[in-house]
Amino acid sequence: MAGRVEGKVAFITGAARGQGRSHALRLAEEGADIIAVDVCEAVPGTPYAGATPEDLAETVRQVEALDRRIVAEQADVRDLDRLHEVVSRGVAELGRLDIVVANAGIDILGSWRDITPQIMRDTIDINLIGVWNTVMASVEHLVDGGGGSVVMTSSANGLKAGPFNIAYNASKYGVVALMKSFAMELAKEKVRVNSVHPGAVDTPMAQGAMPMFDEFERENPDLTGMFTQWIPGVMPPREISNAVLFLASDESTWVTGSTYAVDGGLSSY
Ligand SMILES: NC(=O)c1ccc[n+]([C@@H]2O[C@H](COP(=O)([O-])OP(=O)(O)OC[C@H]3O[C@@H](n4cnc5c(N)ncnc54)[C@H](O)[C@@H]3O)[C@@H](O)[C@H]2O)c1
């Protein structure tokens, strides 16, 4: 039986680990080849360890174990020229591009007094301008190929701001504006653009942020109560990958400009 994205090629940012790796594997399981990038180093200020070149190599190994092809390069989503370079190489090698998953991101939590200009700039540069760069470096290939799907990773924080996350909230609401803007203009090219909005996902990012959030929660129960999931617990990344797969596939041909929450109800009230 043909896979749900059989014969397609997907460009995924932040693919060394966490949700990005999971998206690469889920799409590869369903027949896609992959172009993967990751910065493979810690971004200063993030309360968790950075991904490594070995992590990206492990993504390559796992995609190849599924008998799919992958072009993987170390690249920073803040560097538009570098993204152009990697995407061009990937398309030359794999023959086409159909799917773009702008997933790379960082989260630097803190109360409003702790958020520095540097944190604001780094977060907007990676989480928002990095998503714009990702689309700008790749979407022409989708247009040339007659259409495709772009999926941007926002967050439940991009639908309902979470406490102690000013820079992150601003960047993730910004992703929704990017998504809707690109969706409008690209519809006539048969390129669909949607955003996914994860709740807490079991990745190094959430593992690093949770202890800080627990501390804020103890000190500010009135605020953190507003940020409660109806389904308790922390999701495995595959839950988000299943949403990405649907949005990337031809099963969602009429879905564009939409915000797709996978958050156990967290953003719903
Ligand atoms: N984990 C959660 O609970 C959660 C919830 C909502 C949204 N998100 C979003 O999901 C996405 C994936 O995060 P994750 O949970 O897999 O975390 P993660 O930290 O495990 O993975 C993020 C990946 O992005 C890469 N990255 C960071 N900055 C980069 C840059 N400048 N250029 C290229 N790559 C870069 C990292 O190296 C890492 O491999 C992020 O956009 C994040 O904001 C995560």
Side-chain angles (χ1 to χ4, degrees), residues 13-20 37-41 43 48 50-51 75-78 102-107 126-127 153-157 168 172 197-206:
T13 67
R17 69 177 190 192
Q19 292 177 57
V37 297
D38 201 289
V39 70
C40 296
E41 63 185 24
V43 176
Y48 45 84
D76 191 323
V77 295
R78 288 169 286 192
N103 160 82
I106 59 165
D107 188 3
I126 295 173
N127 291 8
T153 303
S154 176
S155 168
N157 291 59
Y168 189 76
K172 294 299 189 180
H197 297 259
V201 185
D202 190 12
T203 68
M205 176 186 287

Side-chain angles (χ1 to χ4, degrees), residues 160 224-230 264-269:
K160 178 181 180 181
T224 49
M226 290 159 44
F227 214 60
T228 304
Q229 284 174 197
W230 298 340
L266 189 148
S267 62
S268 293
Y269 72 111

Side-chain angles (χ1 to χ4, degrees), residues 54-265:
E54 292 71 37
D55 290 327
L56 188 57
E58 179 58 20
T59 299
V60 170
R61 195 193 64 74
Q62 291 190 28
V63 168
E64 287 176 346
L66 293 166
D67 267 341
R68 300 314 320 167
R69 292 178 297 167
I70 177 167
V71 171
E73 296 264 354
Q74 207 165 327
D76 191 323
V77 295
R78 288 169 286 192
D79 185 344
L80 178 57
D81 291 344
R82 177 74 182 127
L83 293 183
H84 268 297
E85 207 175 275
V86 177
V87 171
S88 297
R89 208 202 113 202
V91 171
E93 203 162 308
L94 303 175
R96 54 186 298 116
L97 187 64
D98 308 277
I99 299 161
V100 175
V101 186
N103 160 82
I106 59 165
D107 188 3
I108 305 178
L109 295 113
S111 76
W112 65 272
R113 283 184 208 280
D114 299 328
I115 300 303
T116 62
Q118 191 66 49
I119 293 173
M120 282 305 293
R121 268 194 291 271
D122 289 345
T123 305
I124 298 295
D125 268 358
I126 295 173
N127 291 8
L128 183 58
I129 300 176
V131 170
W132 182 80
N133 285 340
T134 300
V135 176
M136 294 307 284
S138 60
V139 81
E140 209 72 74
H141 293 285
L142 274 57
V143 172
D144 291 348
S149 172
V150 177
V151 183
M152 300 178 178
T153 303
S154 176
S155 168
N157 291 59
L159 295 171
K160 178 181 180 181
F164 319 111
N165 232 340
I166 284 178
Y168 189 76
N169 291 339
S171 71
K172 294 299 189 180
Y173 267 83
V175 167
V176 175
L178 274 188
M179 179 276 286
K180 289 192 181 283
S181 307
F182 276 119
M184 275 187 264
E185 292 193 46
L186 290 169
K188 69 173 190 293
E189 314 280 3
K190 294 196 167 56
V191 175
R192 299 178 296 104
V193 187
N194 296 284
S195 51
V196 287
H197 297 259
V201 185
D202 190 12
T203 68
M205 176 186 287
Q207 288 151 14
M210 286 296 184
M212 290 179 79
F213 198 75
D214 289 346
E215 187 188 318
F216 296 140
E217 189 166 28
R218 277 193 298 278
E219 290 165 11
N220 301 273
D222 292 341
L223 291 182
T224 49
M226 290 159 44
F227 214 60
T228 304
Q229 284 174 197
W230 298 340
I231 301 174
V234 179
M235 273 176 276
R238 194 175 170 92
E239 297 292 334
I240 312 303
S241 304
N242 287 334
V244 169
L245 171 63
F246 168 70
L247 293 170
S249 76
D250 295 338
E251 295 160 21
S252 57
T253 315
W254 271 77
V255 183
T256 197
S258 80
T259 55
Y260 198 110
V262 186
D263 66 1

